[in-house]
Amino acid sequence: MQHSRVEMHPATAKWYDRRDSVFVEFCVEDSKDVQVKFDSSKFEFGCVSGTDNTKHQNTVDLFGEIDPKGSKHRRTDRSVLCCLRKAEAGKSWPRLTKDKTKNNWLSVDFTNWRDWEDDSEEDLSSFDKFSEMMNRMTDEGVDEEHESADSDDEKIPDLE
């Protein structure tokens, strides 16, 4: 039996919340034809992956508003990381989606999750650090030579 219509699978994703942005990482290896469309209250992700060209499609109705122009994504061989710029920085998102239904393709990225509301302002520039990292990244990974020396004036002592 032949499938005339292509089956769409949602890509597995992890997300975490920061003061000024929300990060969503779609765990898709060897993605091609990546398409990410940001809207103020939702975003769409689509790509083709793997040797069997599985088509992935995710539409996410977001918990809060984002700034579509300030949002961006970055593809690596292992995943596609989306950085959603919050329209209202400093407002925490208890979840990524508008409704409370559990999406079986979505989980919290506990490695990167922090309860930043108790933090001082140190996290405020995470978006800028992210942008900087995005600009520095080459397809082989992070380009070490472009570490900016002035990003932190304190020198960390060498560990003996």
Side-chain angles (χ1 to χ4, degrees), residues 3-132:
H3 289 292
S4 53
R5 72 180 209 87
V6 178
E7 214 172 313
M8 293 287 192
H9 302 275
T12 316
K14 300 185 302 217
W15 81 285
Y16 61 99
D17 185 43
R18 282 289 191 265
R19 191 183 297 274
D20 48 8
S21 6
V22 174
F23 292 86
V24 184
E25 183 172 13
F26 290 99
C27 310
V28 186
E29 303 229 340
D30 302 325
S31 55
K32 300 185 283 286
D33 305 333
V34 174
Q35 300 191 332
V36 181
K37 209 169 112 220
F38 297 110
D39 213 330
S40 58
S41 59
K42 70 168 192 194
F43 84 107
E44 292 172 42
F45 170 80
C47 75
V48 177
S49 77
T51 42
D52 51 0
N53 288 333
T54 312
K55 280 195 164 33
H56 296 283
Q57 181 72 49
N58 299 59
T59 302
V60 186
D61 285 313
L62 295 166
F63 171 80
E65 300 266 303
I66 60 166
D67 167 13
K69 285 190 183 61
S71 302
K72 42 170 85 93
H73 73 280
R74 169 83 206 177
R75 183 201 162 280
T76 68
D77 288 337
R78 286 186 302 281
S79 66
V80 178
L81 181 63
C82 300
C83 176
L84 314 178
R85 183 98 193 225
K86 291 180 182 177
E88 205 179 323
K91 188 175 169 217
S92 84
W93 290 24
R95 58 182 187 278
L96 179 66
T97 54
K98 192 161 64 179
D99 42 24
K100 285 193 167 112
T101 24
K102 175 97 180 83
N103 290 302
N104 52 13
W105 54 267
L106 182 67
S107 62
V108 170
D109 185 345
F110 286 108
T111 336
N112 287 303
W113 187 275
R114 286 226 301 285
D115 207 5
W116 53 259
E117 290 176 278
D118 313 332
D119 287 356
S120 61
E121 300 298 303
E122 53 85 39
D123 209 43
L124 206 51
S125 61
S126 66
F127 187 87
D128 304 312
K129 286 195 196 103
F130 179 77
S131 310
E132 202 179 294

